[in-house]
Amino acid sequence: MEKVIAWESVEPKIQEVLDELVNKKKADWPFVFMAGGGGGLLLSCLIACFIGYSTIFLVIALFIGMLVAYFYKESKRNEIYKQKVMPRLLELVCPGATYNPKGDMPYSVISSSKLLRTGLDYHNEDTIRGKVGNTDFVYGEAKFSHMEGTGKNRHEVIDFKGFVFEADFNKDFNGITVLSSQGFKLWSNIVFSKFSRCHLEDARFENKYRTYATDDQQARYILTPALQERIMNMNHTFSKELGDSDLSMSFHDSRMLIMVPSHTNRFEVKYTAAGVKKDYLALTLMIDIVDMLNLNLRIWSKE
């Protein structure tokens, strides 16, 4: 098992940047009031030219102007956080890993898993690539959505939003095996047209997950009783520590993909050590997946 550096040793290494961010936030307030207020005043003048002067419109315009100015500065501070804090955390948690805040996880990583239907809009950010022992992995936050309705009723429907973890599996195999917890949205029947429901011996696992496979025997080869137990423990850990649950998994091309829905947008700017600690915890749990599922144990033909 990889040794995880204690938070107490991590905190001093990022405190200097946190102080910088706090000071920058204080220094940015005059800009918010002046530039934002000026922009709001200009907006109110434009509104007055068309519909006449109104105190209410003036207040609203000033508020909007300052809000835009604030989030503009917040985005700049967020860039500092991603450039300075995240690499330091990652260097301590997983030396040698690379981090791309804009995201560079290919759509094919998820589409080949058969967990989601095709044709969805895809957005990815905060992609991390690295290696733990013999196991290479890629991690990132992802969002899949599609549009429904027409005209004024047209709106975005989110199919998935959360984190994705894809890694080398410790067994060579063919075919595809997918599983989802009972609470996870099941996908179109078209997706599972070549799959059949696979029933496993562990009643607790059966009660928690639905398993589909292109080859029933192959699914049992992959989902050993030991791995089933590890998956349930991992899901419990995510739910307890991060508030995430309802994970889904796919095993294909001798690789493994985990998708965990989450409403939390991680790795965004924080101003306190307590806030950064949550990102640290998310990173350590990500790395721990390799140990939780015992992926570094090479099985038979897997070297």
Side-chain angles (χ1 to χ4, degrees), residues 114-116 144 158-163 179-187 192 208-210 212 235 245-249 258-262:
K114 304 303 181 185
L115 285 175
L116 293 173
F144 291 86
I158 298 176
D159 295 80
F160 173 85
K161 183 178 184 298
F163 81 77
L179 64 90
S180 68
S181 62
Q182 302 285 17
F184 198 91
K185 178 182 178 182
L186 288 178
W187 306 273
F192 291 115
K208 179 66 178 175
Y209 303 101
R210 291 187 177 93
Y212 296 85
N235 192 81
S245 58
D246 296 337
L247 67 81
S248 291
M249 299 181 70
I258 303 173
M259 298 181 70
V260 183
S262 176

Side-chain angles (χ1 to χ4, degrees), residues 267-281:
F267 311 136
E268 304 302 310
V269 63
K270 312 292 191 305
Y271 299 99
T272 65
V276 179
K277 187 176 181 180
K278 294 180 180 179
D279 284 347
Y280 160 82
L281 178 61

Side-chain angles (χ1 to χ4, degrees), residues 220-280:
R220 295 174 185 277
Y221 164 71
I222 295 169
L223 294 170
T224 63
L227 182 59
Q228 293 175 51
E229 184 72 26
R230 289 174 182 271
I231 290 173
M232 288 191 290
N233 290 338
M234 179 180 66
N235 192 81
H236 175 73
T237 299
F238 288 154
S239 179
K240 178 181 177 181
E241 300 294 342
L242 300 177
D244 298 332
S245 58
D246 296 337
L247 67 81
S248 291
M249 299 181 70
S250 172
F251 300 86
H252 63 97
D253 301 319
S254 298
R255 296 189 70 82
M256 174 203 73
L257 181 104
I258 303 173
M259 298 181 70
V260 183
S262 176
H263 297 295
T264 303
N265 191 12
R266 298 189 176 88
F267 311 136
E268 304 302 310
V269 63
K270 312 292 191 305
Y271 299 99
T272 65
V276 179
K277 187 176 181 180
K278 294 180 180 179
D279 284 347
Y280 160 82

Side-chain angles (χ1 to χ4, degrees), residues 180-197:
S180 68
S181 62
Q182 302 285 17
F184 198 91
K185 178 182 178 182
L186 288 178
W187 306 273
S188 167
N189 290 330
I190 296 176
V191 175
F192 291 115
S193 60
K194 295 182 180 180
F195 291 72
S196 60
R197 178 73 186 272

